[in-house]
Amino acid sequence: MFFGFLAAVACGMLYAGYLSGYHDRKFWFSTRQVSGCVFLLLWCGKVPALTVDNRTVSGQTFNAVERLFLYPELITSFIYRITDSQDYVEPVFFYLGTVFGLQAVCVTALFVCSWLLSGTCVAGMLAVSWFVLNRPDATRVDQGVPLRENWALPYFSCQVAALTGFLSNNISSASEMFCYLTMSATTFTFLLLWEHGHYVLFVQGLCLFLLDSLDLVPKVYLSSLFLAYLFQFQNAALLSSPLLSLLIGSALARYFQVASRSQHTSAAADRLLVTCLSPVGHGDFTLKLLEAKFGLNTTTDFVTNFLLCQDGLRASGQDLFLRLTQTSVLPFYVLVLAVCLLSTLQTVVRRLSGLRLQDGRIGEQPAVIYHVFHSVFFGLLTLVKYLWTPYVCMFTAFGVCSPDLWMTVFKWLRLKSVHPIVLSLILSTAVPTIIGFTLWREYYPRVLAELADLQEFHDPDLVELIGWIRSQAPAAAVFAGSPLLLGTVKLCSGSVVTSLPLYSDVGLLRRTEDTYQVYALRSAEDVYKRLAALKTTYVIVEESICNDIQRRKGCRVKDLLDVANRHVVHDRAQVFSSSKHGRFCQEIKMNYSPYTNYFTRVFWNRSFHVYRVNAVISFQY
């Protein structure tokens, strides 16, 4: 056990070092001068100013702690100050080290989880190896370090590892209490750090509901939900979340079934459960989004379709399965899942029939049954590869290294020439050894090449734009543009913006829809009225959005706008425009009336055009 934990910690630390080196070579981070423009601000001792902020979003009092889930930054800045780290390391590098350290915790938790299930730390090493090789599909830390999921998912991994230990057989009372306390702490932290955490826990709750282990879940989930509700400034989304509906419905169903075993009462409890699983009120938009995501409904709403086109919510294509197959994890995953699922179904049938369970079958272990449901449900109900892929790696590594899985297969085959126990021990050692050697020979040189490749990262047009804003724009100016660009403008210049890249806030998304109308087939007057209503001083038009031809058709911003505004007509595979106006972002470049009446171009380069929204309209003919 000592050497196993040592190997788990070592794998986590090596992965954190690998991430740090790869990030530095990809973005030249340690060698670039950060001239006032950092990707994150660490606030120290300014919590009141963050909760009542009138200098971020125009026309709104903005609670940044609540709406941006800034608890990680507040805690990190507190640790940074009390440890006197400012004397040794710059804030941005301290922040990077903290995030990469959490990724090390995530990898360590996957190691421990696979180890607990299989009984051998070889499974943990194989799980980490597959995770690293499938890193582009398992994490988005490369794409954006400050993403909320990069803070939250390591805690969820620890929660799953603790739950695995809790469900394991032959666990001592002290270990059971440790696992329970770990589950409680990590569940609360996970809910506090990520706005989508309650939906992830809802899917996990369904897994435990099928496992009939919901006796422990209300205690952990309800207390965590209540604390998260308080710390998130009475977040209404938690009260209308499907997780709370599941907990209430399952508790009532269990109560009625205990009170009366009659079929009538059970049916009534089941109907009540279905009713409680339908969130209302604040969760209506989330429900509509999920219906569109799973193909249960179609909509022309811009915000809904815009969210579905984001990488985090877009369904994974065939290229994901191709990449997983190339690293050999998918074929073994299908094999392991099939064996565990069939064994689980066999166990359920025997239990319902009143037959004696057969010792040594993989499907009789509660922890394995949970992870079968976990893997299937997270693949079907989330359709997010960053949630599914890490546990595919962990679950597959457990299966190929587990003697119980091979024993189950051999008992089905009824081998008589060779003793099943001996053969299962041989295969549970030989198969992971062959896989590990193959992966080492094939991918180890590629990993080293990634660390040696010094990539180029330079965006002179964006640097020029930020320089103009900092030097030429008034301090009270309000900027409109795409959410990602406005986030950069806010962090680099401190200017007030009309929206932010916060995709869990429907109000900000509606503001984004209004500012995106500069890429629609609308008149100058219509766009002017929408921007003026947001108190916009300058609007930034991006060439990459206006002339987008690279992104898949149907998810381009201008396509989404044309559908939402009903400015296009589809007839026999032909697309016709039903708007009498040209595309605003293209027409305004012509510099003729009526566009010059409402807007004046003040800055431009190859990527950006900045127009001042005229306070006084001057009519020119």
Side-chain angles (χ1 to χ4, degrees):
M1 182 172 292
F2 171 77
F3 287 106
F5 277 109
L6 188 64
V9 174
C11 286
M13 295 179 64
L14 287 173
Y15 178 65
Y18 165 75
L19 279 181
S20 178
Y22 178 78
H23 179 269
D24 188 40
R25 282 155 181 77
K26 182 177 181 179
F27 297 106
W28 292 34
F29 207 81
S30 61
T31 58
R32 294 172 60 204
Q33 292 184 353
V34 185
S35 56
C37 180
V38 295
F39 67 91
L40 179 90
L41 300 178
L42 288 180
W43 291 283
C44 301
K46 297 182 180 178
V47 177
L50 290 173
T51 55
V52 185
D53 182 9
N54 295 314
R55 287 286 306 162
T56 297
V57 179
S58 63
Q60 288 190 2
T61 299
F62 194 76
N63 187 336
V65 178
E66 174 190 2
R67 297 170 75 176
L68 295 178
F69 287 78
L70 286 184
Y71 279 106
E73 282 71 30
L74 293 177
I75 297 173
T76 303
S77 63
F78 175 74
I79 296 175
Y80 181 73
R81 169 171 286 186
I82 63 173
T83 57
D84 293 327
S85 298
Q86 58 267 30
D87 298 333
Y88 310 102
V89 61
E90 295 182 18
V92 67
F93 293 108
F94 185 84
Y95 182 88
L96 280 173
T98 304
V99 177
F100 292 152
L102 283 176
Q103 305 312 302
V105 172
C106 180
V107 167
T108 303
L110 291 177
F111 184 110
V112 172
C113 196
S114 188
W115 178 20
L116 289 173
L117 287 171
S118 64
T120 172
C121 60
V122 176
M125 296 180 182
L126 185 58
V128 173
S129 300
W130 266 325
F131 178 87
V132 173
L133 296 181
N134 294 281
R135 177 176 46 81
D137 297 313
T139 177
R140 292 198 295 176
V141 70
D142 294 345
Q143 303 175 23
V145 173
L147 292 175
R148 299 300 89 183
E149 65 195 56
N150 294 335
W151 288 93
L153 289 180
Y155 292 97
F156 181 65
S157 300
C158 292
Q159 191 248 33
V160 173
L163 180 59
T164 302
F166 188 90
L167 296 175
S168 299
N169 296 325
N170 302 322
I171 185 175
S172 65
S173 57
S175 300
E176 181 177 333
M177 179 57 64
F178 173 77
C179 292
Y180 180 81
L181 294 177
T182 302
M183 282 191 294
S184 300
T186 52
T187 300
F188 163 68
T189 308
F190 179 62
L191 284 171
L192 190 65
L193 300 184
W194 197 23
E195 63 269 28
H196 304 303
H198 61 84
Y199 179 72
V200 176
L201 293 179
F202 163 71
V203 178
Q204 186 189 56
L206 285 178
C207 302
L208 293 171
F209 180 77
L210 293 178
L211 192 62
D212 199 26
S213 298
L214 225 64
D215 289 333
L216 72 102
V217 173
K219 303 174 185 177
V220 175
Y221 283 179
L222 285 176
S223 59
S224 301
L225 272 175
F226 176 72
L227 291 175
Y229 173 76
L230 294 180
F231 277 84
Q232 289 179 4
F233 304 89
Q234 293 78 49
N235 187 357
L238 294 179
L239 296 182
S240 60
S241 66
L243 173 62
L244 184 59
S245 301
L246 173 65
L247 295 178
I248 296 176
S250 60
L252 292 176
R254 183 177 294 275
Y255 170 78
F256 285 127
Q257 289 176 350
V258 171
S260 175
R261 293 293 180 179
S262 66
Q263 182 178 0
H264 174 74
T265 306
S266 298
D270 292 338
R271 289 196 299 270
L272 179 60
L273 175 60
V274 173
T275 303
C276 290
L277 283 175
S278 302
V280 295
H282 186 80
D284 285 345
F285 177 78
T286 303
L287 184 60
K288 294 178 181 178
L289 180 64
L290 293 176
E291 289 177 351
K293 176 180 174 64
F294 294 118
L296 302 177
N297 195 4
T298 58
T299 180
T300 60
D301 180 60
F302 172 82
V303 171
T304 302
N305 291 326
F306 176 73
L307 289 177
L308 292 176
C309 286
Q310 302 304 307
D311 291 336
L313 289 176
R314 189 187 305 175
S316 302
Q318 296 181 355
D319 54 340
L320 169 65
F321 303 107
L322 178 61
R323 291 190 296 270
L324 294 179
T325 302
Q326 290 174 343
T327 57
S328 73
V329 65
L330 186 60
F332 286 104
Y333 168 73
V334 174
L335 172 64
V336 172
L337 181 63
V339 173
C340 293
L341 187 58
L342 289 176
S343 182
T344 299
L345 294 177
Q346 187 180 42
T347 301
V348 172
V349 171
R350 294 184 67 85
R351 180 170 295 177
L352 293 177
S353 303
L355 301 176
R356 185 178 62 87
L357 299 181
Q358 299 176 349
D359 295 335
R361 298 295 177 96
I362 193 74
E364 298 175 4
Q365 303 175 19
V368 173
I369 298 174
Y370 161 72
H371 280 285
V372 169
F373 292 144
H374 180 112
S375 177
V376 174
F377 275 44
F378 273 74
L380 296 178
L381 296 183
T382 62
L383 298 179
V384 179
K385 59 184 179 181
Y386 308 110
L387 288 171
W388 182 65
T389 304
Y391 295 98
V392 168
C393 299
M394 181 278 300
F395 187 75
T396 308
F398 134 72
V400 298
C401 297
S402 174
D404 292 337
L405 182 135
W406 298 107
M407 177 78 70
T408 301
V409 175
F410 296 143
K411 285 186 176 180
W412 287 344
L413 298 177
R414 297 182 179 180
L415 292 178
K416 297 181 179 180
S417 57
V418 181
H419 199 285
I421 297 180
V422 176
L423 193 56
S424 62
L425 290 175
I426 294 175
L427 286 181
S428 63
T429 303
V431 172
T433 301
I434 295 174
I435 294 174
F437 176 75
T438 304
L439 295 178
W440 177 274
R441 186 183 63 178
E442 179 71 19
Y443 291 98
Y444 180 69
R446 301 186 187 182
V447 173
L448 293 182
E450 283 185 346
L451 293 178
D453 183 19
L454 193 60
Q455 304 181 41
E456 182 178 357
F457 180 80
H458 187 46
D459 192 347
D461 292 341
L462 180 59
V463 173
E464 186 181 6
L465 171 65
I466 297 299
W468 180 86
I469 294 175
R470 291 166 61 90
S471 61
Q472 301 296 326
V478 177
F479 285 87
S482 66
L484 290 177
L485 179 60
L486 293 183
T488 303
V489 169
K490 176 60 185 177
L491 286 178
C492 295
S493 67
S495 300
V496 181
V497 295
T498 58
S499 185
L500 286 172
L502 182 62
Y503 299 143
S504 61
D505 191 310
V506 180
L508 288 180
L509 287 170
R510 295 300 177 190
R511 282 173 157 251
T512 298
E513 181 180 5
D514 286 335
T515 57
Y516 266 146
Q517 297 301 323
V518 297
Y519 305 105
L521 300 171
R522 288 194 177 274
S523 66
E525 181 181 4
D526 188 11
V527 174
Y528 176 83
K529 288 180 179 179
R530 291 173 180 267
L531 295 177
L534 299 177
K535 301 180 180 180
T536 305
T537 309
Y538 298 98
V539 58
I540 306 174
V541 178
E542 300 176 54
E543 287 289 333
S544 60
I545 300 178
C546 184
N547 300 312
D548 185 5
I549 59 174
Q550 299 295 329
R551 201 171 186 182
R552 64 171 185 164
K553 195 172 181 180
C555 270
R556 298 182 301 180
V557 169
K558 51 187 179 183
D559 294 335
L560 298 177
L561 290 169
D562 291 344
V563 171
N565 298 334
R566 292 176 172 82
H567 286 163
V568 295
V569 177
H570 296 270
D571 183 20
R572 298 180 182 179
Q574 298 292 325
V575 180
F576 302 96
S577 173
S578 61
S579 175
K580 62 181 181 180
H581 303 287
R583 198 162 300 279
F584 178 88
C585 63
Q586 296 173 349
E587 297 294 326
I588 195 174
K589 298 174 188 175
M590 303 301 179
N591 203 31
Y592 59 77
S593 181
Y595 298 93
T596 55
N597 301 338
Y598 300 98
F599 304 93
T600 302
R601 188 167 65 176
V602 294
F603 171 85
W604 69 93
N605 57 26
R606 293 175 302 176
S607 301
F608 305 101
H609 295 254
V610 180
Y611 295 90
R612 183 178 65 244
V613 181
N614 296 333
V616 178
I617 303 175
S618 59
F619 289 95
Q620 303 174 7
Y621 300 94

